[in-house]
């Protein structure tokens, strides 16, 4: 049985696509699947930083294409999870260094050895995007609840629908802030899904811990106390075929959860006292 090739794309830059790639890849590997992440953002690689593997890159995707090394030599194993590998992008070249046919061939080779091949797509809809989707049969479209990001996601979905090799695509809504939605300062997840007419695979709440985890080269899914980490783990489980309910992202965590419990305890006590009287 060959592995699944999933491209993670967005159209708009800065919506958290590479963070999503790193976390979904790590979560799938934690759940027991063998995973390889391919960074196709040639010239601007970041996936190695998010995984904490920047000091271990010897060969890149371009080295494989130009036959300076074998594909297996270019794969860097994750330090903590032997199920996870990275094929890094080259920093000193541009996106024309790898074409669609070459990437498709690499994806087909990796499919034989891995359960999942995740392709981190560059921003935009130019040549880099066309190359990144060439080997994939599935896509995850990452957006945030902002009009500019949703409009770009809509454009990406149109291009995916027009591509014969993409058999299915799902939506992941990132950086959701329940307080802003409640105050009508941000689009709701339902609004985004209605506009894009797309099935949802994940809702990731805004989490300042992601900044810290990115700087440390440690995906947020490894933090058991992070709501965003739990949400990414649930996305991975859905990809693996499990039926997982969406998290209640309004649920308070940390100090807020402690305060909520204290309030709940005292309000319960007050009710009992009222009845006694």
């Amino acid at each position: 049985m060959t592995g699944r090739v999933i491209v993670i794309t967005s159209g708009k830059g800065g919506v958290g696509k590479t963070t999503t790639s790193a976390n979904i890849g790590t979560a799938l590997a934690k759940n027991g699947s063998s995973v390889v992440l391919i960074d196709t953002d040639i010239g601007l690689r970041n996936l190695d930083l998010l995984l904490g593997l920047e000091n271990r890159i010897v060969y890149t995707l371009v080295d494989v294409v130009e036959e300076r090394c074998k594909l297996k030599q270019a794969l860097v194993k994750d330090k903590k999870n032997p199920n996870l590998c990275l094929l890094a992008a080259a920093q000193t070249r541009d996106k024309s260094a790898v074409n669609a046919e070459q990437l498709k061939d690499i994806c087909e080779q990796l499919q034989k050895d891995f359960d999942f091949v995740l392709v981190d797509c560059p921003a935009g809809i130019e040549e880099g995007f066309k190359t990144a989707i060439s080997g994939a049969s599935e896509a995850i479209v990452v957006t945030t609840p902002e009009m500019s990001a949703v409009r770009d996601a809509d454009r990406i979905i149109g291009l995916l629908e027009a591509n014969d090799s993409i058999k299915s695509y799902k939506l992941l809504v990132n950086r959701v802030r329940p307080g802003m939605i409640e105050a009508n300062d941000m689009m709701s997840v339902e609004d985004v899904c209605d506009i894009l007419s797309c099935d949802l695979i994940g809702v990731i709440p805004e989490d300042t811990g992601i900044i810290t985890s990115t700087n440390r080269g440690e995906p947020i899914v490894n933090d058991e106390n992070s709501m965003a980490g739990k949400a990414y783990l649930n996305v991975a489980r859905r990809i693996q075929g499990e039926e997982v309910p969406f998290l209640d992202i309004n649920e308070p965590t940390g100090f807020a959860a402690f305060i909520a419990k204290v309030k709940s305890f005292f309000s319960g006590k007050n009710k009992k006292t009222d009845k006694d009287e």
Side-chain angles (χ1 to χ4, degrees):
M1 188 179 165
T2 55
R4 291 160 62 186
V5 184
I6 306 172
V7 64
I8 297 173
T9 183
S10 64
K12 189 178 188 296
V15 296
K17 175 177 45 56
T18 301
T19 302
T20 295
S21 300
N23 280 286
I24 290 177
T26 304
L28 287 167
K30 278 167 77 83
N31 290 348
S33 296
S34 57
V35 184
V36 59
L37 284 158
I38 307 178
D39 190 347
T40 61
D41 201 355
I42 298 166
L44 294 170
R45 79 173 186 218
N46 282 310
L47 198 46
D48 57 322
L49 284 171
L50 270 66
L51 295 167
L53 298 175
E54 66 277 9
N55 295 326
R56 298 174 64 191
I57 308 299
V58 179
Y59 296 112
T60 68
L61 174 60
V62 174
D63 290 319
V64 176
V65 165
E66 295 180 351
E67 298 182 347
R68 281 192 290 277
C69 69
K70 291 182 178 173
L71 179 54
K72 282 187 178 177
Q73 286 178 288
L75 298 179
V76 181
K77 272 198 174 180
D78 186 61
K79 289 178 287 190
K80 291 187 176 175
N81 200 323
N83 287 342
L84 181 65
C85 287
L86 169 69
L87 178 55
Q91 274 185 298
T92 54
R93 303 289 291 277
D94 61 33
K95 290 172 181 64
S96 63
V98 179
N99 64 38
E101 206 53 51
Q102 289 165 331
L103 187 70
K104 188 177 179 183
D105 180 55
I106 285 170
C107 289
E108 283 171 1
Q109 289 180 61
L110 291 169
Q111 271 181 289
K112 295 170 189 172
D113 299 320
F114 291 89
D115 298 320
F116 291 96
V117 180
L118 300 186
V119 183
D120 183 26
C121 181
I125 55 170
E126 290 81 32
E127 214 52 48
F129 167 78
K130 290 169 190 170
T131 299
I133 68 169
S134 61
S137 58
E138 301 173 56
I140 293 174
V141 179
V142 181
T143 188
T144 54
E146 305 160 61
M147 276 315 301
S148 58
V150 171
R151 186 164 65 178
D152 286 1
D154 190 39
R155 178 88 170 99
I156 286 292
I157 288 168
L159 293 170
L160 293 173
E161 285 177 341
N163 189 291
D164 293 336
S165 66
I166 302 292
K167 306 301 178 195
S168 68
Y169 56 86
K170 298 276 174 70
L171 184 69
L172 184 142
V173 185
N174 196 19
R175 294 184 186 150
V176 176
R177 299 184 187 184
M180 287 184 73
I181 293 169
E182 214 172 298
N184 288 323
D185 291 329
M186 179 179 269
M187 297 165 72
S188 70
V189 174
E190 291 77 13
D191 290 339
V192 175
C193 291
D194 286 348
I195 292 166
L196 298 175
S197 302
C198 187
D199 289 339
L200 192 65
I201 198 161
V203 178
I204 314 296
E206 180 72 73
D207 190 335
T208 53
I210 286 178
I211 299 166
T212 314
S213 73
T214 300
N215 290 336
R216 283 184 185 156
E218 181 77 41
I220 196 88
V221 288
N222 291 329
D223 180 356
E224 291 173 6
N225 298 315
S226 163
M227 185 74 88
K230 288 175 190 169
Y232 276 125
L233 278 166
N234 285 348
V235 171
R237 288 168 63 196
R238 290 183 197 109
I239 291 168
Q240 289 168 314
E242 284 187 56
E243 284 190 24
V244 187
F246 288 93
L247 284 177
D248 178 9
I249 59 173
N250 294 299
E251 195 180 302
T253 56
F255 184 69
F258 171 71
I259 294 297
K261 278 182 183 174
V262 170
K263 282 182 178 173
S264 163
F265 174 75
F266 281 112
S267 65
K269 268 201 148 188
N270 289 339
K271 279 176 190 171
K272 281 181 188 174
T273 310
D274 292 344
K275 277 182 186 174
D276 293 342
E277 286 170 0

